Amino acid sequence: MKFPGLFKFTFWKVVAVALMTAGVVAAIDRFTRGLGAATNLHDTFPWGIWIGFDILVGVGLAAGGFIIAATVYIFNIERFRPILRPTILTAFLGYLLVIAGLMADLGRPWAIWHALIYWNPRSVMFEVAWCVMLYTTVLALEFSPIVLERFKLKRALKVIRTVTIPLVVLGVILSTLHQSSLGSLFLIVPSRMHPLWYSDVIPFLFIISCVAAGIAMLVFESYLSSRAFGREMELPLLTDLARVMVVVLALYFVVRIQDLTNRDALQYVFQWTYQSAMFHIEVILGVVLPFFLLLFRKVRSNKLGLFYSSVLVLLGFVAHRLNTAITSMEHWPVRTYIPSWQELSITMGLVAFGFTVFSFVVRYFNVYDEEPHTLHRAVEEEKVPDSALKSAPAR
Amino acid sequence: MLKSKALLIDISKCVGCGECARACAAANGLPEEEATELSATHYTVVQSYNNDETYVRRLCMHCNEPTCVSACLVGAFTKTETGAVLYDESKCIGCRYCMQACPFEVPRYEWSSLTPRIQKCKMCYERIAAGESTACAAACPFEATVFGDRDELVKEARRRIDENPGQYVDYIYGLEEAGGTSVLYISNVPFEKLGFPMNVPKTPIPQLSWRVLSQIPKYTVAATVVLFGIHWITARRTVVARFEAEEGKKKTTEQAGMGKQKSNTLNHESPEVPS
């Protein structure tokens, strides 16, 4: 395997290497000195950004995987197939990074396999753990054709093809379950959470927002890939998906406001507090503003308009997750939290690693099908000789 | 059968001598130095309020339907017959959900350890099983902490409040909090002034999770039917799309082929309908 251009220095490569190095240094610190020394977590604030960002945001951003898989395989909308592979790749990498982050956060990571044998079905955490384990497996199987094709393992490909529909169905069920359950984790702290965020509808808000964020992530990834790999952004498909985002953002807003009103918590929105400021960032900047922007077709069908609106949605999504996990649990002066440099480094190092692996896979495997999938399908079904693939346009 | 045991803490009788904390440290092999906050090395602490006028001791409430028991994904916590809520470090993976979930913020962590464990009051489980009282109750010189059967202690608390009107706040903390706890407090000072969380639900907290989790099997069955159903209903779309794609490919191959021919006549092949 040749690696052309691997050692060419670009600004982003340097940034990525720097972040990953910082992440490794921080990880060594965490595993040699323990959680107390490496994090700013403490007895009255046991969960920080490794849960709030790495897990809650990481899992949510990978939602595009089940959305597009469902669109193509369950709703049979073939025209979205070109974005299926990059989306599955993003999702699969996302979940692997979540698991990596978890290994840093757990106090006894070597015991993580205990979840396989010690069961407590009354625990939301149990349900999250199992759904994430099973769904990562589903993603690995959905991702496998990209690898199997490269090494021409046709029989294995055939097997995967036959189980694809049930896999996708299982993937949608597992995804909806654990995306909402990451929110359900917080149902258990009614007296400790700020009323702007504690609610029966947290699970519902988590699933709605992950649909918006999953789509925004697709736009984000497509735009950056088009710049990095010199290929066309799939604008027509993403413009259509943007309309789904608009509806989902509207639904989120309506449910959020109605829920706050029902619980007499709307008053907190209008107070001048740290919590209300964070709420405004989450809802006004991250939901209302992109909603209005994306209402305009000119914005939806414009690369930059769509990209920046999606960035706002992503920011709002990150704000929602961090607010639910961190802001809402903070009570000055005893229960406050700022992440340590080690926590930030591992988080950003994992993100940088994700970008790096993504570019690697895109470069050396067939992720962006320039031939319609029918050609590859025909090769698998042995209706056309392998040599037909050789005449496929070079990437 | 062992009746559920409990502790009754009478704040009006506590003088802040700290004997309970010292006895606890001795009984559990913990370091002697005093602390004002619970920690991995302090299962109970005495806190002072109102310029040392009032003393409140803190410890695990040993809830009747513990949130930690329901929250722990590997079931490392159990509510025993004696009333004590115990932690099994051999199962723990260190996710700290118990710490996040406890409405009284009781479980503490060994943050400086490379093999950290949760630490909290064990209600002197071995002593109780042997018929003794807890170390703290045995040590208290003023009977501010007493040990006994929960229902008896509830009656005793009620009796003290009723027989001393005006002396106690008419409230037994722990009677209903989180569905009832095995550590009960009565006080001469309002509880909200002593750092007690007053907004803990009066119903068992695990129900808040179970309400959602119990719906999962129904949801899974329904979703399976709906998703396979939609796939089946819309399946024709894929057939049509594939046909159109193959047609498109045939036309481009034809045009490429025609470009190579020098003849002007066109050889039309009738399109084949896929079987």
Side-chain angles (χ1 to χ4, degrees):
Chain A
M1 248 173 151
K2 287 190 190 159
F3 294 101
L6 184 63
F7 293 110
K8 200 166 61 175
F9 280 107
T10 66
F11 171 71
W12 288 111
K13 263 196 200 158
V14 172
V15 169
V17 170
L19 288 176
M20 288 191 281
T21 311
V24 170
V25 171
I28 292 173
D29 191 55
R30 179 259 175 271
F31 285 106
T32 52
R33 293 198 305 146
L35 281 172
T39 70
N40 282 343
L41 301 172
H42 52 272
D43 281 330
T44 47
F45 215 90
W47 281 1
I49 59 166
W50 284 345
I51 303 286
F53 186 88
D54 290 25
I55 296 185
L56 263 54
V57 171
V59 168
L61 292 182
F66 83 87
I67 295 171
I68 300 301
T71 306
V72 172
Y73 287 113
I74 301 197
F75 288 88
N76 284 296
I77 307 179
E78 270 299 315
R79 64 198 176 87
F80 284 92
R81 196 175 282 265
I83 55 172
L84 182 62
R85 280 190 170 191
T87 308
I88 297 288
L89 174 60
T90 308
F92 184 47
L93 281 180
Y95 275 80
L96 291 179
L97 293 176
V98 161
I99 295 172
L102 192 57
M103 300 307 277
D105 184 72
L106 285 179
R108 302 164 78 92
W110 59 86
I112 195 174
W113 63 275
H114 285 184
L116 293 170
I117 55 167
Y118 296 122
W119 291 12
N120 179 12
R122 302 234 149 205
S123 164
V124 178
M125 186 66 84
F126 171 80
E127 193 241 312
V128 169
W130 270 92
C131 286
V132 169
M133 280 194 280
L134 291 173
Y135 185 60
T136 308
T137 313
V138 166
L139 278 173
L141 291 171
E142 288 179 355
F143 173 76
S144 62
I146 296 177
V147 175
L148 296 174
E149 245 175 43
R150 183 78 164 71
F151 298 109
K152 306 235 173 66
L153 299 167
K154 291 199 200 116
R155 215 169 306 157
L157 269 172
K158 260 196 202 158
V159 171
I160 300 285
R161 286 260 175 260
T162 44
V163 299
T164 295
I165 304 293
L167 264 184
V168 172
V169 167
L170 185 61
V172 171
I173 295 174
L174 289 171
S175 288
T176 47
L177 284 179
H178 70 257
Q179 294 282 1
S180 60
S181 292
L182 283 173
S184 300
L185 284 173
F186 296 93
L187 291 175
I188 214 167
V189 285
S191 53
R192 287 175 61 173
M193 207 182 209
H194 191 280
L196 273 177
W197 286 279
Y198 185 81
S199 160
D200 285 351
V201 306
I202 290 180
F204 192 56
L205 289 175
F206 265 61
I207 186 81
I208 301 173
S209 55
C210 90
V211 174
I215 296 174
M217 192 61 188
L218 291 185
V219 172
F220 187 78
E221 176 265 304
S222 175
Y223 179 81
L224 290 184
S225 298
S226 70
R227 306 263 319 244
F229 308 116
R231 47 180 308 282
E232 275 301 302
M233 189 176 163
E234 298 92 355
L235 200 53
L237 296 177
L238 295 171
T239 300
D240 286 347
L241 284 177
R243 290 207 274 174
V244 176
M245 248 199 309
V246 169
V247 174
V248 168
L249 288 171
L251 182 61
Y252 177 90
F253 183 77
V254 161
V255 170
R256 197 92 164 77
I257 299 301
Q258 194 162 48
D259 170 66
L260 284 170
T261 316
N262 286 346
R263 292 185 291 112
D264 252 329
L266 203 57
Q267 50 177 309
Y268 298 104
V269 174
F270 304 110
Q271 294 172 355
W272 289 104
T273 58
Y274 163 66
Q275 283 86 355
S276 72
M278 297 304 283
F279 178 88
H280 283 102
I281 293 175
E282 176 193 319
V283 177
I284 308 299
L285 197 67
V287 178
V288 175
L289 185 55
F291 167 78
F292 279 113
L293 287 174
L294 289 167
L295 275 179
F296 296 100
R297 194 194 307 164
K298 279 214 175 124
V299 172
R300 286 200 306 272
S301 48
N302 172 276
K303 282 182 200 174
L304 285 178
L306 188 54
F307 175 70
Y308 285 114
S309 306
S310 298
V311 167
L312 284 175
V313 172
L314 289 174
L315 283 176
F317 176 78
V318 170
H320 174 248
R321 294 301 197 263
L322 289 178
N323 283 341
T324 304
I326 296 175
T327 312
S328 68
M329 298 293 281
E330 285 186 291
H331 299 281
W332 194 86
V334 180
R335 295 165 198 82
T336 57
Y337 164 79
I338 307 264
S340 65
W341 73 262
Q342 296 95 325
E343 292 174 86
L344 287 168
S345 300
I346 288 188
T347 299
M348 295 199 293
L350 285 172
V351 172
F353 185 62
F355 274 83
T356 307
V357 174
F358 187 91
S359 342
F360 179 84
V361 174
V362 164
R363 234 175 264 278
Y364 300 106
F365 292 84
N366 185 15
V367 173
Y368 292 109
D369 251 349
E370 297 223 335
E371 277 286 319
H373 82 288
T374 45
L375 182 59
H376 289 278
R377 189 61 193 271
V379 168
E380 284 153 45
E381 289 164 11
E382 288 166 327
K383 288 178 182 158
V384 166
D386 286 350
S387 52
L389 272 177
K390 290 200 182 120
S391 58
R395 246 157 272 112
Chain B
M1 173 160 121
L2 200 61
K3 272 170 122 191
S4 183
K5 299 296 184 186
L7 290 170
L8 174 61
I9 296 171
D10 191 329
I11 291 173
S12 70
K13 295 197 170 162
C14 178
V15 301
C17 67
E19 282 302 314
C20 51
R22 277 189 284 277
C24 172
N28 289 290
L30 298 169
E32 269 180 25
E33 80 266 16
E34 275 182 28
T36 49
E37 293 295 333
L38 294 177
S39 74
T41 49
H42 293 86
Y43 297 170
T44 189
V45 292
V46 180
Q47 297 173 336
S48 80
Y49 290 85
N50 303 331
N51 284 323
D52 289 354
E53 263 185 37
T54 314
Y55 294 94
V56 181
R57 58 176 292 232
R58 292 256 127 80
L59 66 161
C60 174
M61 301 290 282
H62 297 281
C63 305
N64 293 346
E65 286 198 46
T67 315
C68 57
V69 168
S70 81
C72 178
L73 84 165
V74 289
F77 286 89
T78 32
K79 172 78 170 174
T80 59
E81 275 181 347
T82 60
V85 175
L86 299 181
Y87 162 78
D88 179 358
E89 70 188 62
S90 70
K91 292 185 177 168
C92 181
I93 70 173
C95 74
R96 309 186 300 284
Y97 189 31
C98 54
M99 295 177 74
Q100 184 80 345
C102 176
F104 307 105
E105 295 176 290
V106 163
R108 301 281 145 148
Y109 211 48
E110 292 179 330
W111 295 103
S112 52
S113 165
L114 289 178
T115 53
R117 299 168 296 181
I118 292 285
Q119 294 285 8
K120 70 171 194 69
C121 164
K122 302 167 191 185
M123 216 201 237
C124 287
Y125 184 69
E126 276 108 29
R127 288 174 58 122
I128 302 179
E132 294 168 32
S133 76
T134 59
C136 54
C140 180
F142 301 98
E143 295 196 348
T145 297
V146 295
F147 174 83
D149 294 337
R150 188 178 188 268
D151 39 14
E152 291 298 324
L153 288 179
V154 170
K155 284 187 203 151
E156 172 62 17
R158 197 70 251 158
R159 188 191 65 77
R160 287 189 203 181
I161 295 174
D162 292 342
E163 286 181 8
N164 297 285
Q167 200 184 325
Y168 288 99
V169 170
D170 185 7
Y171 192 80
I172 304 173
Y173 193 92
L175 183 62
E176 290 180 315
E177 270 69 18
T181 65
S182 292
V183 173
L184 306 161
Y185 288 86
I186 49 178
S187 169
N188 52 333
V189 174
F191 287 100
E192 52 270 25
K193 298 205 171 125
L194 302 175
F196 282 81
M198 300 311 293
N199 59 346
V200 176
K202 302 279 198 292
T203 48
I205 295 176
Q207 277 175 13
L208 296 170
S209 300
W210 185 243
R211 247 181 10 198
V212 170
L213 290 177
S214 56
Q215 304 304 310
I216 289 177
K218 281 182 228 171
Y219 166 78
T220 305
V221 170
T224 308
V225 171
V226 168
L227 292 169
F228 273 114
I230 294 177
H231 168 75
W232 181 69
I233 291 170
T234 59
R236 180 138 177 82
R237 291 183 192 169
T238 307
V239 174
V240 169
R242 206 168 284 165
F243 172 66
E244 285 172 356
E246 282 173 18
E247 285 301 293
K249 262 210 75 61
K250 275 206 186 107
K251 287 212 177 87
T252 46
T253 349
E254 278 173 23
Q255 283 161 4
M258 286 187 301
K260 284 183 186 165
Q261 288 179 8
K262 286 183 182 171
S263 122
N264 285 334
T265 51
L266 298 170
N267 285 332
H268 282 285
E269 284 178 33
S270 56
E272 289 169 36
V273 177
S275 51

